[in-house]
Amino acid sequence: MSPELAMARRVVIDHRTDIYSLGATLYELLAARPAFDGHDRQELLRRITLEDPTPPRQIDPTIPRTWRRSS
């Protein structure tokens, strides 16, 4: 869920929320855990709107800094 959706305000929701959701899905695939986790719904929504996710390399230092296409 994008921060715009988590805030539950009346704002225009457009394609950027889909891009955010794709990024969150890719983050979970890379880090093997969700970008945000919480004990209850309110905590989870608060974290989505106010915090940045932990950089994946802090979770798994073996994740490369950059991606290089093979020749």
Side-chain angles (χ1 to χ4, degrees):
M1 175 182 292
S2 70
E4 295 84 6
L5 291 172
M7 285 189 275
R9 293 186 184 157
R10 291 195 174 257
V11 297
V12 176
I13 305 298
D14 59 17
H15 65 281
R16 291 174 290 185
T17 60
D18 294 333
I19 294 168
Y20 184 93
S21 296
L22 175 60
T25 300
L26 294 173
Y27 180 100
E28 188 166 349
L29 288 171
L30 182 63
R33 71 174 217 188
F36 297 102
D37 201 6
H39 297 295
D40 60 30
R41 182 180 174 100
Q42 288 300 96
E43 180 184 353
L44 181 57
L45 293 175
R46 182 194 62 75
R47 292 191 68 204
I48 290 170
T49 58
L50 299 176
E51 298 178 14
D52 289 330
T54 303
R57 290 195 80 240
Q58 285 185 7
I59 298 166
D60 182 359
T62 65
I63 295 172
R65 289 185 187 271
T66 60
W67 178 75
R68 295 183 198 156
R69 193 164 54 173
S70 59
S71 302

